[in-house]
Amino acid sequence: MNPDQAGAAEARPMRDAIMAVLRRLDRDLDGVVWVITGSVGLALQGMSLEPRDVDLQTNEAGAYEIQRRLAAYTTRPVAFVARERTRSHWGAFVIDGIEVEVMGDIQQRAPDGEWDPAPDLPRLARWVEVDGLRVRVLPLAYEADAYRRMGRTEKAALIQAYADANATTDH
């Protein structure tokens, strides 16, 4: 097997593992407001990435409800965490070897030092379907802006370039 084939063989099981976790989340978190963000959200919208974990955004109540429903998988209980540029009700879980991070009512610090309001996820999110699973993700333009505001300008530029090259009217 040449190196390219080896990489492809390794990538597929990770994708399958992430899809299995997404299916479990879809089943176990029914009725909770949550959207997929980060590398999985970007990959679900067509970007060529190899996600290693799953990032979810929700509201404050959703973060603690997810904690309750995924209690057996907890590696870091949900708690309010403030960093220099972001703050949220954050927790971490490991499901079938895949880390799942949850951020409830995430806020980003504006250039003036004030905190922006948490996003209105039900209004903002869009649906994508992959392998028969229908999940909500954050739009690419929103993700690009979020990365930019976190100071991750190179990643923001890549996301924005992909969004611009693949613009659709379904947002």
Side-chain angles (χ1 to χ4, degrees), residues 58-92:
T58 184
N59 54 33
E60 179 181 352
Y64 292 97
E65 180 61 19
I66 290 169
Q67 164 72 47
R68 187 184 72 73
R69 294 188 190 190
L70 301 181
Y73 305 104
T74 302
T75 57
R76 186 182 188 292
V78 172
F80 185 74
V81 175
R83 297 190 172 103
E84 182 181 338
R85 295 182 187 204
T86 62
R87 65 184 186 185
S88 72
H89 298 268
W90 181 80

Side-chain angles (χ1 to χ4, degrees), residues 113-135:
E114 295 296 315
W115 292 100
D116 288 337
D120 180 354
L121 297 173
R123 181 191 59 76
L124 184 62
R126 61 182 295 258
W127 291 98
V128 296
E129 187 171 333
V130 62
D131 294 344
L133 179 65
R134 191 167 182 254
V135 292

Side-chain angles (χ1 to χ4, degrees), residues 48-63:
S48 182
L49 299 169
E50 292 299 329
R52 301 274 184 242
D53 64 356
V54 177
D55 297 317
L56 304 180
Q57 281 194 41
T58 184
N59 54 33
E60 179 181 352

Side-chain angles (χ1 to χ4, degrees), residues 162-169 171:
Y162 182 84
D164 293 345
N166 295 280
T168 63
T169 58
H171 294 51

